[in-house]
Amino acid sequence: MTLEARIGGADVEARFVVFVKENMKLLGGQKANGNANVKAGKISVEKDMTLEGRMGNANVKADEISVKENMRLLGGQNGNGNANVEAKGIFVGKDMTLEAHAGGANVKAGTIFVKKNMTLLSGDGNKGGSNGSVTLRADNLVIGNANMKDTANITLIKRNGALNFDVKNLIVNENCYAKISLDGTEAWSKSSGVYFQNLILCSGSTFGGIFTVNNARYTPFDSYTILGKGVRFEGDFLGNGKKLRFLVPADVGDDTMLTVTGNAILNGGDIDIAFDKEAPDLSVGDRIVLVKANTIEIPNYQSLQGAHPVYLFLNGDKSLSKAAEDTHKNGDRSSNKNGDKQRTQTITSTQGVSVEYTFLKFMDGGNLQVRVVDMRLIPSTKAFSEATIAAIGAVNCAIDLAANAGIQNFTEQGRIFTVFSGGTSRYQSGSHVDVNEFAALIGYGKKFEMSVGKFTAAAFCEGVFGSYKTHNTFAGIGDVTGSGDTKGFGGGIFCRLDFNGSEKGHFYGEGTAHIGKINYSFGSSDMVDAAGRKASYSSEDPYYGLHGSLGYIGKISDNAHWDLYGKCLLMHKEGKISTLSTGEKIVFKDASSQRVIAGLKLARFVSDTTKIYVGGAHSYEFAGKINAQIQGLDVETPSLRGSTEILEVGIANKWSDNFVDFAIQGYAGKRSGISAAIYLEHSF
């Protein structure tokens, strides 16, 4: 594919994809000032993409450019034309070249990925000019083919023209070797045009760049980031006045994160520690080897040779020694047994959104290391446990629905019954959780005549659905809210025995058993890690429930009666290890609910088939604590333990062989809110 502009322009515009198997060439201004222009969504070239500006320009603009082999921009070979590329992403398998003679070669991109080699040459007078400039600007430049252990080179050659190389992040891919070489050392300065904001070295990579200006040590990087372990830096590591950031992987173990073959100069720089999404399980006393070098120069430390012994600032039981404790608190100097003056420093780092570590920085055997001297949970982690409050509330909704159904009207022929309940509640848990709940039961049951009374038995399926919001306020953090959904399915059995009595009344007993699984999720936009990930998780846990009650129904008049009852309701939800979207693992312990309810209900028939009723009850939760741990640290425990008052009004009607009961309940206390339920029976 060739676009050649001689006197006029040559233009190609494609909305989606331009695919060329081999040799895509744009030639601007062969005879005059005509331009060759391509605009596309994606350009894909198997081999050889060339933009050549002679008297006119060669321009390409695309969302994505992919060249498997050889991408070349040539500016002003026989004139002042420019070769210009602008794209969100440029991916080159092998060899990307920008060459300027009289005209310019310019690239502007979000991300450039070059697996092999990149060459920039400015102001070359060998081919028709000498003042041409090369400009490359990108947010990210990724070099090296990950895990292929290839060598990738960036070669910057400055002749007479300007060389502008401005990259925010230079990224050396995993297990690759990368090297930068420069011909024309005067260009190594931000003001002269060559500038990297951050050098990012991925796990197992080696960087072989050595930078000198007028025989003085100099680095074009403002900061360094070590992504993982086993990174090598050839020559002297010039980190003086720079920020050095380590992203610690889960498998760091005793491995060294950064090995420098020469000297590590860290004077006046900051050292920061962060964690990968898959983070290590650290405890107080664990250490991480950050830098190993021939000599390490660091503020207020002496330059220590590799075998030089240094005083360790911990006792045998992994607690801080007195000297280290004083240093940790006051920043005072303490000395090793050879009399070298040292200053220990602490680094504070957060794993995800949960654990805050305090590391003590020290030298040991010529290596720069950090040791965990303190770790604590961030208070906002309590919000994770409150999702379990919503899950318990959802299961209890189903247990209450079966316990309150009052199945009394079954016949010996059997009935299908359905029960629905929905409402909104606020659970006081030390903060509060607002829950919208819906539960449904469908089943079949029948009545049996026995010598001691009437026995009713039923089996049912149940489902619970809901959504919730958690609300917390923490000192120094502010408001933290979260939200999620609940969904559960299960089944159970119901039985009731109405004992034979007298005209004054009779005793009865009820019981239910439940088994099922509850699914619930949690997310919070107020809990975000350093990578910008919102904290969230989901869980699916088995649950079991039991209910038993005893009561007495007494006669007030021919059309009125009272019902005095006591209930015990038990629920158990199994614990589980859940993983946050930010990487931390939360160990949720088993959770249970143990409630007793004592109440009185008054009912009056207003017709032969219709009755109205009103009741009140007192409920007390004895359990309801949610226990969890992160990294062996106890999460603050929300609890449902406490009292709730219940008021109920309802109406029931029986017609033909059908029965319907509608009730509204209000709650105040540990649980506050309102719910409504409807119960239906239908005979075959």
Side-chain angles (χ1 to χ4, degrees):
M1 175 182 176
T2 301
L3 270 74
E4 183 174 335
R6 299 196 172 197
I7 299 176
D11 302 300
V12 170
E13 183 169 349
R15 188 174 180 182
F16 298 109
V17 179
V18 174
F19 176 76
V20 179
K21 187 172 183 180
E22 191 170 346
N23 295 327
M24 177 179 179
K25 185 174 183 179
L26 277 73
L27 179 61
Q30 174 77 3
K31 299 293 185 180
N33 295 324
N35 298 326
N37 305 305
V38 171
K39 185 177 181 180
K42 179 178 179 179
I43 298 173
S44 180
V45 180
E46 285 283 317
K47 184 179 180 180
D48 297 333
M49 177 179 179
T50 303
L51 279 74
E52 185 175 341
R54 295 191 176 182
M55 299 182 71
N57 299 327
N59 305 308
V60 169
K61 186 174 183 179
D63 290 333
E64 181 181 317
I65 300 173
S66 178
V67 181
K68 194 170 183 179
E69 186 175 348
N70 296 331
M71 178 179 182
R72 188 184 184 200
L73 278 72
L74 180 61
Q77 181 165 338
N78 294 304
N80 296 319
N82 300 319
N84 304 309
V85 171
E86 183 175 347
K88 294 179 181 178
I90 300 174
F91 305 90
V92 181
K94 180 181 179 182
D95 298 335
M96 179 177 181
T97 303
L98 280 72
E99 187 175 333
H101 300 283
N106 307 301
V107 171
K108 182 179 180 181
T111 296
I112 301 174
F113 179 23
V114 180
K115 290 184 179 181
K116 272 293 202 179
N117 302 313
M118 171 182 277
T119 302
L120 276 69
L121 171 62
S122 69
D124 187 4
N126 294 326
K127 296 181 180 179
S130 61
N131 296 315
S133 65
V134 170
T135 299
L136 185 145
R137 302 187 189 279
D139 292 330
N140 303 295
L141 173 57
V142 184
I143 56 175
N145 193 2
N147 299 314
M148 297 303 292
K149 298 184 178 180
D150 288 339
T151 297
N153 295 299
I154 297 178
T155 303
L156 306 179
I157 304 172
K158 182 181 183 301
R159 294 290 184 256
N160 297 320
L163 178 63
N164 300 308
F165 194 85
D166 189 351
V167 174
K168 291 183 179 179
N169 296 303
L170 174 60
I171 304 168
V172 181
N173 232 329
E174 292 183 3
N175 298 312
C176 293
Y177 180 91
K179 187 173 183 179
I180 295 180
S181 60
L182 178 72
D183 184 354
T185 55
E186 68 277 4
W188 282 121
S189 164
K190 183 178 179 180
S191 60
S192 299
V194 176
Y195 172 64
F196 300 94
Q197 183 171 316
N198 187 25
L199 173 62
I200 300 174
L201 302 176
C202 297
S203 179
S205 65
T206 299
F207 187 70
I210 301 175
F211 312 108
T212 59
V213 177
N214 299 325
N215 297 319
R217 292 182 294 185
Y218 179 77
T219 174
F221 304 110
D222 274 354
S223 61
Y224 300 87
T225 301
I226 310 302
L227 295 182
K229 64 180 184 178
V231 174
R232 288 176 56 84
F233 193 101
E234 292 185 349
D236 290 344
F237 184 89
L238 305 177
N240 40 310
K242 311 298 181 181
K243 185 171 183 177
L244 177 57
R245 188 170 189 256
F246 294 89
L247 189 69
V248 181
D251 60 346
V252 62
D254 294 327
D255 294 330
T256 300
M257 295 197 65
L258 173 63
T259 298
V260 179
T261 61
N263 302 319
I265 316 300
L266 305 178
N267 295 317
D270 293 327
I271 295 178
D272 183 32
I273 294 175
F275 294 95
D276 200 353
K277 183 176 179 180
E278 298 295 329
D281 293 329
L282 296 176
S283 301
V284 172
D286 290 345
R287 66 179 183 174
I288 302 170
V289 182
L290 298 182
V291 182
K292 182 178 181 180
N294 291 336
T295 299
I296 297 178
E297 295 181 13
I298 196 167
N300 301 306
Y301 285 85
Q302 293 192 1
S303 297
L304 303 174
Q305 300 302 318
H308 194 76
V310 180
Y311 182 84
L312 295 180
F313 295 101
L314 285 111
N315 298 316
D317 61 357
K318 296 185 178 180
S319 64
L320 279 173
S321 67
K322 181 64 169 63
E325 194 173 276
D326 292 341
T327 301
H328 177 56
K329 292 179 180 178
N330 306 315
D332 298 330
R333 297 191 179 205
S334 55
S335 59
N336 66 18
K337 60 185 179 181
N338 292 317
D340 294 319
K341 297 293 184 180
Q342 312 295 327
R343 180 186 295 273
T344 60
Q345 296 173 316
T346 57
I347 302 172
T348 300
S349 181
T350 300
Q351 179 183 341
V353 297
S354 301
V355 185
E356 184 179 88
Y357 291 96
T358 299
F359 293 96
L360 184 67
K361 185 169 64 176
F362 65 97
M363 298 290 297
D364 180 14
N367 303 328
L368 177 61
Q369 303 186 22
V370 291
R371 190 185 295 268
V372 181
V373 294
D374 188 29
M375 54 190 295
R376 70 177 187 92
L377 283 183
I378 297 173
S380 55
T381 51
K382 178 191 174 189
F384 297 136
S385 294
E386 289 182 329
T388 307
I389 295 283
I392 290 176
V395 175
N396 279 344
C397 186
I399 294 174
D400 290 347
L401 192 58
N404 295 333
I407 301 174
Q408 305 174 51
N409 300 283
F410 283 174
T411 65
E412 294 180 358
Q413 288 76 33
R415 285 181 185 267
I416 291 177
F417 68 94
T418 55
V419 197
F420 303 96
S421 174
T424 180
S425 298
R426 170 168 289 186
Y427 294 93
Q428 300 294 337
S429 59
S431 51
H432 64 269
V433 182
D434 293 328
V435 181
N436 297 314
E437 302 162 325
F438 176 80
L441 275 69
I442 182 169
Y444 171 77
K446 62 189 304 184
K447 181 174 66 176
F448 304 89
E449 294 289 343
M450 302 179 65
S451 59
V452 294
K454 298 176 181 179
F455 179 74
T456 303
F460 56 84
C461 297
E462 64 188 15
V464 291
F465 309 90
S467 61
Y468 69 92
K469 289 186 177 181
T470 66
H471 305 266
N472 287 274
T473 300
F474 302 99
I477 298 176
D479 294 337
V480 175
T481 61
S483 62
D485 299 308
T486 57
K487 179 176 65 176
F489 298 97
I493 56 175
F494 171 91
C495 60
R496 176 184 174 109
L497 178 59
D498 287 276
F499 293 93
N500 294 328
S502 64
E503 291 185 358
K504 293 182 179 181
H506 70 275
F507 287 95
Y508 68 89
E510 289 181 341
T512 59
H514 306 252
I515 186 171
K517 283 190 174 182
I518 181 71
N519 296 269
Y520 56 99
S521 61
F522 173 88
S524 175
S525 298
D526 295 325
M527 304 174 71
V528 180
D529 70 0
R533 293 183 292 250
K534 181 183 77 172
S536 64
Y537 76 92
S538 60
S539 187
E540 181 182 75
D541 306 335
Y543 70 82
Y544 316 95
L546 292 173
H547 144 252
S549 65
L550 290 174
Y552 185 86
I553 298 177
K555 182 178 180 181
I556 299 175
S557 65
D558 289 341
N559 60 355
H561 64 268
W562 54 270
D563 183 355
L564 181 66
Y565 60 87
K567 299 179 181 181
C568 179
L569 303 102
L570 306 176
M571 192 282 295
H572 181 83
K573 184 189 75 67
E574 292 185 3
K576 189 177 182 180
I577 299 176
S578 296
T579 301
L580 291 176
S581 58
T582 52
E584 307 96 296
K585 288 181 171 56
I586 308 179
V587 180
F588 287 105
K589 305 298 179 67
D590 291 0
S592 62
S593 172
Q594 301 169 9
R595 294 175 293 151
V596 294
I597 301 176
L600 175 66
K601 187 183 296 184
L602 302 175
R604 184 177 185 274
F605 281 91
V606 295
S607 71
D608 291 341
T609 59
T610 303
K611 73 174 180 180
I612 58 175
Y613 58 89
V614 61
H618 174 78
S619 171
Y620 191 85
E621 172 67 75
F622 289 91
K625 288 186 176 182
I626 312 302
N627 295 308
Q629 288 186 331
I630 301 176
Q631 291 288 80
L633 301 174
D634 292 329
V635 177
E636 184 180 347
T637 303
S639 174
L640 291 172
R641 185 169 183 171
S643 298
T644 299
E645 312 305 325
I646 305 169
L647 178 65
E648 179 182 24
V649 295
I651 183 171
N653 181 266
K654 182 179 181 181
W655 78 99
S656 183
D657 289 329
N658 302 300
F659 178 78
V660 61
D661 188 341
F662 177 75
I664 296 176
Q665 290 185 324
Y667 309 92
K670 196 70 175 178
R671 175 188 181 186
S672 58
I674 190 170
S675 68
I678 185 168
Y679 172 81
L680 302 169
E681 287 183 15
H682 175 70
S683 294
F684 286 108

